[in-house]
Amino acid sequence: MQPHRIHFAIRRFRPEFDCSAIGALYRASISQLARNDYPPDALEAWSRWGKDIHAIALTLSRGQTLIAQHSGRIAGFGQRCPRSHINMLYTHPDFARCGIGRALLEELLSSARREQVTHLTVDASRVSRALFEKAGFVGGEPEWVEREKVRIERFPMELEL
């Protein structure tokens, strides 16, 4: 199945305007796009950060946070923080497989290269692992992190720039 392409713009995160929409996007992305890959208790623990507007503003104000916007709507976001780590990359389910995640990742990679970062790391989910592999990231064995006493699988990966 070919991904559907749409027109969108990538811009910087604006905490005074974006936090509520990002929280909703984050929760929807996890609950809908990851529902076949993780159990309900993991989805709930994982998505809880998206309910705290203050935490969203604080977290995404650090490092480099980019927003993909389509027709005035936030369709995805990505963050590189610290400089050598992709901390977050999420797409709203309405825009899945439209090239938004790939475009955000490419922009994060390009800016890291401009800053002469020599390698990037990411802790990919089961959902995002293939996207990072297509971009050249490699990783080893899965690891488990605990959020609110729930274990969630992730895949540490790295890319030499």
Side-chain angles (χ1 to χ4, degrees):
M1 179 175 159
Q2 284 290 335
H4 174 68
R5 300 287 177 214
I6 61 168
H7 176 73
F8 56 91
I10 295 179
R11 63 170 174 80
R12 292 262 180 205
F13 168 68
R14 298 180 308 206
E16 64 276 16
F17 300 112
D18 297 334
C19 292
S20 180
I22 285 176
L25 181 156
Y26 179 83
R27 293 188 313 271
S29 180
I30 292 166
S31 68
Q32 294 176 42
L33 300 179
R35 72 176 169 234
N36 294 327
D37 295 302
Y38 292 93
D41 61 339
L43 298 174
E44 177 58 33
W46 182 4
S47 68
R48 199 158 287 132
W49 173 86
K51 296 177 182 177
D52 186 340
I53 299 300
H54 178 71
I56 293 168
L58 184 64
T59 300
L60 298 183
S61 292
R62 298 183 300 231
Q64 176 189 25
T65 302
L66 301 176
I67 304 295
Q69 193 165 333
H70 170 70
S71 297
R73 186 171 169 205
I74 295 179
F77 73 98
Q79 182 193 43
R80 186 169 53 95
C81 183
R83 291 180 40 176
S84 62
H85 184 73
I86 307 275
N87 188 42
M88 294 189 184
L89 185 61
Y90 290 89
T91 302
H92 192 283
D94 292 348
F95 300 98
R97 301 196 49 78
C98 292
I100 289 172
R102 183 177 52 97
L104 285 165
L105 179 57
E106 287 174 3
E107 184 55 39
L108 292 169
L109 294 174
S110 293
S111 63
R113 287 183 182 106
R114 285 191 301 272
E115 293 174 18
Q116 300 181 343
V117 173
T118 59
H119 74 281
L120 282 172
T121 59
V122 67
D123 296 316
S125 68
R126 292 176 187 164
V127 179
S128 66
R129 184 178 182 187
L131 173 67
F132 289 106
E133 287 173 339
K134 287 178 186 173
F137 282 78
V138 294
E141 297 298 313
E143 69 179 17
W144 296 86
V145 294
E146 190 172 299
R147 289 197 183 172
E148 301 177 22
K149 300 182 181 177
V150 176
R151 291 174 37 120
I152 302 172
E153 184 182 41
R154 67 181 186 186
F155 299 86
M157 303 178 82
E158 186 170 347
L159 174 67
E160 296 297 323
L161 298 176

